[in-house]
Amino acid sequence: KAGVTQTPRYLIKTRGQQVTLSCSPISGHRSVSWYQQTPGQGLQFLFEYFSETQRNKGNFPGRFSGRQFSNSRSEMNVSTLELGDSALYLCASSLVSGEAGNTIYFGEGSWLTVV
Amino acid sequence: GDSVTQMEGPVTLSEEAFLTINCTYTATGYPSLFWYVQYPGEGLQLLLKATKADDKGSNKGFEATYRKETTSFHLEKGSVQVSDSAVYFCALSVWGAQKLVFGQGTRLTINP
């Protein structure tokens, strides 16, 4: 079956703009989470949604937001973009949320460059 | 808080060499442990996992054993191939929190 699908794969934005990234989880998966990957900070957790509710949030400013739809698809939004927001944004999905050993599957990511 | 520490990279080996990538963790609860691999330009792929002490995860010739007494989850492979060249991430999750905490990653290069 299809894996986690993220769109767009690559995008370039200007400082001050906003961006919306989209994620379609594996069919049947109800938990979607987002991570930011940068060379300096590595992989950092942004937030997690389960059944349209945000369950966990990482240590990011309020400019980073997300939502989940009734079909489990998710979007994340970054407003007032800064140069430091340039990163690979990874979406991940899993069948359930919070259980021991729960396997989390990742998409290929959206590469965001802010100029 | 919860954290994962991996051995510093990059690591360069010859084909058929033995591989060890060290990983230690600190966790407030009883974590599950994972190794993920990232090939150039791609997302993360789960390599193996272990959910309780003394569990051994294995996949594609890679192995790692959950050692609670040493809070470690070292990755090993007996004979590496050029195709194993990638970045390897050790990670943990704590029950009740659907969140992975990652180590900094170890870049592995295998020369023919």
Side-chain angles (χ1 to χ4, degrees), chain B residues 22-97:
Chain B
N22 290 337
C23 171
T24 58
Y25 67 89
T26 302
T28 52
Y30 197 159
S32 297
L33 302 173
F34 306 82
W35 277 100
Y36 281 85
V37 58
Q38 187 174 36
Y39 297 100
E42 299 185 10
L44 299 173
Q45 297 178 24
L46 177 67
L47 184 58
L48 51 84
K49 70 177 185 181
T51 59
K52 60 183 187 296
D54 300 325
D55 263 3
K56 178 185 282 189
S58 61
N59 185 26
K60 299 180 181 179
F62 291 90
E63 293 183 339
T65 301
Y66 189 142
R67 301 288 188 200
K68 189 180 179 188
E69 64 275 13
T70 55
T71 62
S72 65
F73 192 55
H74 304 323
L75 182 68
E76 297 182 336
K77 186 175 185 184
S79 177
V80 292
Q81 306 300 313
V82 172
S83 57
D84 294 326
S85 298
V87 181
Y88 291 80
F89 292 92
C90 184
L92 67 81
S93 69
V94 179
W95 188 90

Side-chain angles (χ1 to χ4, degrees), chain A:
Chain A
K1 57 185 175 182
V4 179
T5 304
Q6 293 187 242
T7 56
R9 290 293 318 279
Y10 305 92
L11 65 167
I12 300 173
K13 290 288 188 178
T14 304
R15 265 186 305 176
Q17 287 186 317
Q18 74 166 15
V19 66
T20 298
L21 308 178
S22 181
C23 173
S24 293
I26 292 171
S27 178
H29 285 195
R30 296 170 62 195
S31 170
V32 174
S33 48
W34 291 86
Y35 292 78
Q36 182 196 62
Q37 185 177 20
T38 60
Q41 299 299 316
L43 281 153
Q44 294 185 285
F45 172 79
L46 280 156
F47 28 66
E48 185 235 347
Y49 288 86
F50 181 78
S51 294
E52 302 179 67
T53 301
Q54 186 181 87
R55 295 195 65 213
N56 268 305
K57 189 176 191 306
N59 189 25
F60 278 82
R63 300 185 297 106
F64 292 81
S65 63
R67 59 178 175 168
Q68 186 180 34
F69 303 96
S70 58
N71 61 359
S72 293
R73 194 176 66 84
S74 176
E75 290 180 346
M76 69 162 283
N77 184 276
V78 187
S79 62
T80 318
L81 284 165
E82 301 177 358
L83 295 179
D85 298 332
S86 296
L88 176 65
Y89 290 88
L90 291 163
C91 174
S93 76
S94 62
L95 201 56
V96 294
S97 177
E99 293 187 1
N102 191 19
T103 299
I104 299 172
Y105 298 90
F106 284 81
E108 295 196 332
S110 292
W111 289 92
L112 170 65
T113 301
V114 182
V115 298

